[in-house]
Amino acid sequence: MSPAARYSLIGSGVLAALLSGCAAGPRLYLANELQSVAGKCRLAESDVDQLGDPRFLFLLKPAPSKAELACVSHWAARHHLHLVFIQSITPPPGPSDI
């Protein structure tokens, strides 16, 4: 193998290794990281969770304020997570409603 081909092969391997490190998959954040988000956004610690899915950030507070939603949404976007939130809860119909 010629020296030029060897350097080209080594360079390709180094480039592939560097790029694969940049493309790390989603991860579950630690409880203290999620608690920090909740604190910064003035939410209860239990209001922000990933519920075992590294692609999503769940805001578990029904009808969050615009400020709370914007704060958590900003953090989720910076960390490449999809934000899932509850806009409202409608109670199921009771026996008298049927």
Side-chain angles (χ1 to χ4, degrees), residues 61-64 85-91:
K61 179 181 180 183
F85 65 97
I86 303 167
Q87 190 167 8
S88 66
I89 297 176
T90 305

Side-chain angles (χ1 to χ4, degrees), residues 42-90:
R42 298 181 183 192
L43 294 163
E45 291 178 359
S46 61
D47 286 344
V48 179
D49 202 343
Q50 281 189 290
L51 300 177
D53 194 327
R55 299 169 297 161
F56 300 103
L57 181 65
F58 293 89
L59 178 54
L60 301 172
K61 179 181 180 183
S65 71
K66 287 182 181 181
E68 293 167 337
L69 188 57
C71 180
V72 176
S73 178
H74 181 70
W75 190 88
R78 282 188 297 138
H79 292 85
H80 308 288
L81 299 172
H82 299 283
L83 179 63
V84 179
F85 65 97
I86 303 167
Q87 190 167 8
S88 66
I89 297 176
T90 305

Side-chain angles (χ1 to χ4, degrees), residues 29-46:
Y29 287 85
L30 299 173
N32 63 347
E33 292 173 304
L34 296 175
Q35 291 168 359
S36 172
V37 175
K40 289 177 186 175
C41 296
R42 298 181 183 192
L43 294 163
E45 291 178 359
S46 61

